[in-house]
Amino acid sequence: MARNLTFESILSIEGRVLKRPEGQENKYMGTGDIEVEVKSLKVLNIANSNIPFIIRDYNKANENVQMKYRYISLRYPELQKNLRLRSEVIMKMREYLIKECDFVDIETPTLFKNTPEGAHEFIVPTKLLGQFYSLVQSPQQFKQLLMVGGFDRYFQVARCYRDEKPRHDRQPEFTQLDIEMSFVDCEGIMMLIENLLAYSWPQESGELTIPFKHMKYEDAMELYGTDKPDLRIPQQLCRLTELIDHSVLEQSLKMEQNEHREVYALVFSQKHGFLTKSIKDTISELQCTYFPSVKLIQTKIPNKSPVITNIIDGNVQQKLNLKEGDVLFLACGEKVHTQSLLGKVRLEFTKSLESKGQEICTNRNEFLWITDFPLFSFNTETNSLETMHHPFTQPHPDDMQYLMNNPLKVRGLHYDLVMNGFEIAGGSIRIHDSKLQKQLFKMLNIDETHLMHILDALESGAPPHGGIAIGLDRLICLLCNTKNIKNVIAFPKTTTGRDLMSGAPVPISEKIKKLYNIQTVDK
Amino acid sequence: MARNLTFESILSIEGRVLKRPEGQENKYMGTGDIEVEVKSLKVLNIANSNIPFIIRDYNKANENVQMKYRYISLRYPELQKNLRLRSEVIMKMREYLIKECDFVDIETPTLFKNTPEGAHEFIVPTKLLGQFYSLVQSPQQFKQLLMVGGFDRYFQVARCYRDEKPRHDRQPEFTQLDIEMSFVDCEGIMMLIENLLAYSWPQESGELTIPFKHMKYEDAMELYGTDKPDLRIPQQLCRLTELIDHSVLEQSLKMEQNEHREVYALVFSQKHGFLTKSIKDTISELQCTYFPSVKLIQTKIPNKSPVITNIIDGNVQQKLNLKEGDVLFLACGEKVHTQSLLGKVRLEFTKSLESKGQEICTNRNEFLWITDFPLFSFNTETNSLETMHHPFTQPHPDDMQYLMNNPLKVRGLHYDLVMNGFEIAGGSIRIHDSKLQKQLFKMLNIDETHLMHILDALESGAPPHGGIAIGLDRLICLLCNTKNIKNVIAFPKTTTGRDLMSGAPVPISEKIKKLYNIQTVDK
């Protein structure tokens, strides 16, 4: 009977459980110490002899095949482990919020109205001619309305939808732990999240020590060239703008005069053997693609070429503590671009070093709160103000004076939580004053008639409130030590939003289109 | 300061907590024994003086106003209580499933492919020309695929979508506790649910005793004229078909001869004073609307009219134990229609009696499993078989012999849980054999090419499995003792699917329509 069985068939076996004979134990298996002396064997369901792949780690199917036959790939030990861990961690989070902190789990609708800036929202036609729902990008409005409704501690594991450009770490639907509280300040929310993570953190995911570090947005940009610095990498950026002789710089690099130019450097000590042509090309490409206006020097120390020696004089060498054998990246250009380029170089060169066995990153998890974000950014194309996060963020009380005259100087009461270089949570204290909210809408060119329910709500007895959302797919990735978001989702879609198993999305019948009063038209 | 405050304004008060002077305690308030001697009062947010309604139970706003200003009505003690209870009960369910029974909470997609019979599925256009997702009506396919994938105990509090005809107890999106297990039989699932409900049942919602009663579908129809009998009402239907002289019946009621005719009666003892013209009219209308082919007699006992006395002879009187002062409903016609009409009369007359202070219902909660449903029903319009539930239900093993020749005789391994006359859960053991599944698709005229992933899955090592889903909105209604589903949902939509607060659904811009390659067309 056993000889005719195929792999992955489902059996019912009765028999006696015995200890394995000495020497035949398999310590890599949970049941490796025992075996079963079979008395009866019943085949409950025979598997096809040519199923597309067998669950063996040494013979893993490629991602697309795994996604087409997801019901088979879910049997891989890694996916079993990840999804079970996900369930456990989220349960712990609920436990902490409900049992330890008296939060209420409240479900909010996903079929809602399009938001004024909702360029990335899926639409859902209804049977009412020309009328559409939109799938929510987050429960933002609802959670604020719950605060107005007297549910002063709300949370929800919320399904959210975003129809954005394909990216490997994005899914059209995703899950966030959504939290909102009344009568709270930034510190209150941050403390809650630290305790929540400490409570729900699985042992196998490494150490977590609270409280977390804090850093201002400006300092993060200055030292790491990003608003989500990976603190496991010790190297920092160093500003040289005042030390450098700009006329020498202009001459050497053939640049025009520019009094707004900034100069930053990044040094990797004693790594000159690793600045290969290949990594230099990768980094150059990065610069050309993302920051074409920034000039970048990549060099080993020493470098005798006059271009380099002219720029890096004694002062600079002293400031950077440059030694023979070091690798130096030096960038100059518009401030944020210069910082950001070196921020990317810092990650890219570290990745390259680590792939060659060099240990750059520390072993511990690095958590970091980023605060004091600017409230606005300026869109030079549309020549108008935009929010850095969303239009409900409370301006920093110390900066209210600049709101009308110098809005780009205004910080928002926003906070992001970064873990090992990934943003895992973000939130803010919200505006609870309807006049201020109205003013913000106006500054941002948002037609307030679409958001009257929010303005009315703020006038009907709204407590001060704030909240946060944790991106669960990303967080669970970090906990499971996997880079691919598809490894923590049971039925993920491809980067282009396709479900390879069922083929969705698919064409639909004319009958259904008629039911919803729509027709397909080619652009 | 206090004099200028408006109702519902938000204050911060500092002061000393004191015991209230004797005699001034308010035992109806949680804080009725104390008061605060105010030292400082700060207005955090003033409320508009003309907010649409004030939170006082004696002055409740009507439903539409409550829904437009949902953020205010959420402050009503009833909504506060209901939503907090909902959160607690669902947490208890999770606790039971995860901690006591090793279930894994797994999220499944809501953006999926339309199902072959999915007439009630919302569609979601994508940026791919002519290609659409559909919003899932339930995670049915995914939960079965999870069983194939080796997650042998799955649950999820799942958001589901259904675009059905408006009905007061339906919402376009709703929530179910979705459960699936491998290697389980009907009894296993029923026991799980009984223990789950016993574990999570709030004290204030009345008694719950397990195990629950069981009844076959056929018996439920025979005795109660419905597949969801409310056992709190003691009255049962009584079949008279063999006792009645059909030629007398035909003569008295001027009916044609019909050998398939069935006769059923329903008696309410000693209630003749309550069979008013008004209730008789209501019941007649019910008959005309839903069962025009069924003849119905409504009468007090005694009734001297020859029509009645001819039909209700001594034998019938004895069988029904008829006494002076009783109310008799007698119906004849096609079997299921006759039963169903009296089933509705049973509920309607009880409602009328109870509204007049007559106690008909017992006080305890009545739970009941209904089993042995027919697998198929016959659609006389399309002249074809349809499923009673869904095409994945396993036929009863004792009835496999009838599958080809007499399919309407085949029962399915389906079970419904009824509480106080409401269906609160339903599920089944599923087909795990791909050949049988194929055969069912064929019998049901379902094009198997749309469901190849299911057939392939069943051939790739699929364990026997089954599951159930509990309708949480309805269950929480029963727990909260409210009839209106909107009272257990934070942001409900109207019967026609409108969110009165934001106005959704709304027209969308031409730009967005272009993005999704659609145009609105008038039918």
Side-chain angles (χ1 to χ4, degrees), chain A residues 8 10 44-48 51 69 71-72 74-75 79-80 83-84 86-87 90-91 94-95 98-99 103-114 119 121-133 135 142 145-146 148-152 156 159 161 163 172-173 175 183 432-433 453 456-464 490-491 493 496-499 501-502 504-508 512-523, chain B residues 8 10 44-48 51 71-72 74-75 79-80 83-84 86-87 90-91 94-95 98-99 103-114 118-119 121-133 135 142 145-146 148-152 156 159 161 163 172-173 175 183 432-433 453 456-464 490-491 493 496-499 501-502 504-508 512-523:
Chain A
E8 303 291 330
I10 306 290
L44 297 177
N45 206 358
I46 193 95
N48 209 321
I51 61 172
Y69 302 98
Y71 41 87
I72 301 179
L74 283 171
R75 297 176 195 157
L79 276 174
Q80 286 280 330
L83 291 176
R84 288 170 193 273
R86 180 175 183 134
S87 170
I90 294 178
M91 182 62 184
R94 293 180 183 281
E95 222 174 69
I98 291 184
K99 304 224 156 165
F103 275 76
V104 185
D105 179 2
I106 301 180
E107 300 165 53
T108 59
T110 54
L111 294 171
F112 193 47
K113 183 183 176 174
N114 60 340
E121 285 171 346
F122 285 105
I123 54 171
V124 181
T126 69
K127 289 170 185 161
L128 303 166
L129 182 64
Q131 312 235 333
F132 293 77
Y133 295 118
L135 290 172
F142 292 113
L145 294 169
L146 283 171
V148 180
F151 288 93
D152 55 346
Q156 179 183 199
R159 191 69 61 92
Y161 301 84
D163 190 17
E173 48 188 316
T175 309
F183 307 109
H432 63 265
D433 180 83
H453 53 286
D456 284 347
L458 295 183
E459 280 182 16
S460 66
F491 298 99
K493 295 191 175 64
T496 56
R498 203 166 276 287
D499 170 29
M501 197 174 61
S502 73
V506 293
I508 54 169
I512 292 179
K513 285 182 199 164
K514 253 186 203 155
L515 207 58
Y516 288 106
N517 312 296
I518 60 162
Q519 263 313 317
T520 295
V521 288
D522 205 338
K523 279 182 263 213
Chain B
E8 305 290 330
I10 306 289
L44 296 178
N45 204 359
I46 193 94
N48 209 319
I51 60 172
Y71 42 86
I72 301 179
L74 283 171
R75 296 176 197 157
L79 276 173
Q80 287 279 329
L83 291 176
R84 287 171 194 272
R86 180 177 183 133
S87 168
I90 295 178
M91 183 61 183
R94 294 178 181 282
E95 222 175 70
I98 292 184
K99 304 223 157 165
F103 275 76
V104 185
D105 180 2
I106 301 180
E107 300 164 55
T108 60
T110 56
L111 295 171
F112 193 45
K113 184 183 176 175
N114 58 340
E121 286 172 348
F122 285 105
I123 53 170
V124 182
T126 68
K127 288 170 186 161
L128 303 166
L129 181 65
Q131 312 234 335
F132 293 76
Y133 294 118
L135 291 172
F142 292 114
L145 293 170
L146 283 170
V148 180
F151 286 95
D152 55 347
Q156 179 182 197
R159 192 68 60 92
Y161 301 84
D163 190 17
E173 50 188 314
T175 309
F183 307 107
H432 64 265
D433 179 83
H453 52 287
D456 285 347
L458 295 184
E459 281 181 17
S460 68
F491 298 99
K493 295 192 174 64
T496 56
R498 202 165 278 288
D499 172 30
M501 196 174 64
S502 72
V506 294
I508 54 171
I512 292 178
K513 286 182 200 165
K514 253 188 203 154
L515 208 56
Y516 289 105
N517 312 295
I518 60 164
Q519 262 314 317
T520 296
V521 287
D522 205 335
K523 278 180 265 215

Side-chain angles (χ1 to χ4, degrees), chain A residues 214-247:
Chain A
H214 286 227
M215 191 179 288
K216 292 183 177 171
Y217 169 82
E218 211 177 63
D219 296 336
M221 290 304 293
E222 184 73 12
L223 294 174
Y224 302 101
T226 173
D227 58 359
K228 35 181 185 284
D230 186 345
L231 294 190
R232 294 173 310 171
I233 307 171
Q235 281 75 9
Q236 296 183 337
L237 275 54
C238 179
R239 182 164 179 267
L240 299 177
T241 311
E242 267 84 50
L243 269 182
I244 291 275
D245 183 330
H246 284 254
S247 57

Side-chain angles (χ1 to χ4, degrees), chain A residues 236-352:
Chain A
Q236 296 183 337
L237 275 54
C238 179
R239 182 164 179 267
L240 299 177
T241 311
E242 267 84 50
L243 269 182
I244 291 275
D245 183 330
H246 284 254
S247 57
V248 170
L249 193 70
E250 283 151 16
Q251 216 178 7
S252 308
L253 298 178
K254 293 179 190 99
M255 285 165 23
E256 278 174 29
Q257 213 178 325
N258 178 352
E259 58 185 22
H260 294 299
R261 176 189 309 125
E262 296 276 349
V263 184
Y264 283 80
L266 173 66
V267 176
F268 282 82
S269 268
Q270 303 303 304
K271 299 292 177 203
H272 77 285
F274 300 93
L275 189 66
T276 58
K277 172 149 191 331
S278 148
I279 183 67
K280 280 175 89 167
D281 287 349
T282 306
I283 288 172
S284 290
E285 205 184 304
L286 210 147
Q287 176 263 320
C288 290
T289 314
Y290 297 108
F291 309 101
S293 67
V294 179
K295 288 273 178 190
L296 176 69
I297 295 171
Q298 318 183 48
T299 178
K300 300 170 188 179
I301 302 297
N303 181 329
K304 299 289 179 210
S305 98
V307 174
I308 305 288
T309 47
N310 284 346
I311 298 171
I312 306 166
D313 65 9
N315 282 338
V316 172
Q317 286 180 34
Q318 201 182 340
K319 170 87 174 171
L320 297 176
N321 191 22
L322 274 186
K323 293 182 301 295
E324 205 178 311
D326 289 355
V327 168
L328 168 71
F329 300 98
L330 189 138
C332 48
E334 192 268 317
K335 184 172 181 176
V336 174
H337 291 172
T338 307
Q339 292 171 331
S340 300
L341 171 59
L342 286 184
K344 281 190 191 288
V345 170
R346 182 172 167 268
L347 295 181
E348 198 61 42
F349 194 56
T350 298
K351 200 171 89 185
S352 158

Side-chain angles (χ1 to χ4, degrees), chain A residues 17 37 56 97 103 143 151 156 159 173 177 235 295 346 371 380 454:
Chain A
V17 176
E37 192 183 48
R56 297 289 178 272
L97 290 170
F103 275 76
K143 67 181 185 173
F151 288 93
Q156 179 183 199
R159 191 69 61 92
E173 48 188 316
L177 175 64
Q235 281 75 9
K295 288 273 178 190
R346 182 172 167 268
T371 62
T380 47
I454 294 288

Side-chain angles (χ1 to χ4, degrees), chain A residues 347-408:
Chain A
L347 295 181
E348 198 61 42
F349 194 56
T350 298
K351 200 171 89 185
S352 158
L353 287 168
E354 295 234 316
S355 74
K356 288 167 186 158
Q358 297 289 301
E359 278 178 24
I360 304 296
C361 291
T362 58
N363 247 335
R364 60 173 180 277
N365 290 318
E366 286 285 0
F367 293 89
L368 176 67
W369 288 107
I370 304 288
T371 62
D372 293 81
F373 283 88
L375 188 60
F376 302 102
S377 62
F378 192 76
N379 186 328
T380 47
E381 277 173 39
T382 61
N383 211 21
S384 61
L385 285 179
E386 289 179 350
T387 60
M388 278 284 275
H389 295 99
H390 60 58
F392 311 112
T393 306
Q394 172 80 42
H396 197 297
D398 295 351
D399 300 346
M400 290 304 283
Q401 48 185 317
Y402 309 119
L403 198 55
M404 294 315 290
N405 308 323
N406 193 359
L408 289 173

Side-chain angles (χ1 to χ4, degrees), chain B residues 280-400:
Chain B
K280 280 175 89 167
D281 288 350
T282 305
I283 288 173
S284 292
E285 205 184 305
L286 211 145
Q287 177 262 318
C288 292
T289 314
Y290 296 108
F291 308 100
S293 67
V294 180
K295 288 275 177 190
L296 177 69
I297 295 172
Q298 319 185 45
T299 179
K300 301 169 188 178
I301 303 296
N303 183 328
K304 298 291 178 211
S305 100
V307 174
I308 306 288
T309 48
N310 285 346
I311 298 170
I312 306 167
D313 63 9
N315 281 339
V316 172
Q317 286 181 33
Q318 203 183 337
K319 170 85 176 172
L320 296 175
N321 192 21
L322 274 186
K323 292 182 302 293
E324 203 178 312
D326 288 356
V327 168
L328 168 70
F329 299 98
L330 188 138
C332 46
E334 194 267 318
K335 185 171 180 178
V336 174
H337 291 171
T338 307
Q339 292 171 331
S340 301
L341 171 58
L342 287 183
K344 280 190 192 290
V345 171
R346 181 172 167 269
L347 295 181
E348 198 61 42
F349 193 55
T350 298
K351 200 172 89 184
S352 159
L353 287 168
E354 296 234 315
S355 75
K356 288 165 186 162
Q358 298 289 300
E359 277 180 22
I360 304 297
C361 292
T362 57
N363 246 334
R364 57 173 184 278
N365 290 318
E366 286 284 359
F367 293 88
L368 177 65
W369 287 107
I370 305 288
T371 61
D372 293 82
F373 283 87
L375 188 59
F376 302 102
S377 61
F378 192 76
N379 186 328
T380 47
E381 277 174 42
T382 60
N383 210 22
S384 61
L385 287 178
E386 288 181 349
T387 61
M388 280 283 276
H389 294 99
H390 60 56
F392 311 112
T393 307
Q394 172 80 41
H396 197 296
D398 295 351
D399 300 346
M400 291 303 282

Side-chain angles (χ1 to χ4, degrees), chain A residues 444-457:
Chain A
L444 292 163
N445 255 319
I446 295 174
D447 181 356
E448 69 176 43
T449 55
H450 292 297
L451 288 159
M452 279 316 290
H453 53 286
I454 294 288
L455 292 173
D456 284 347

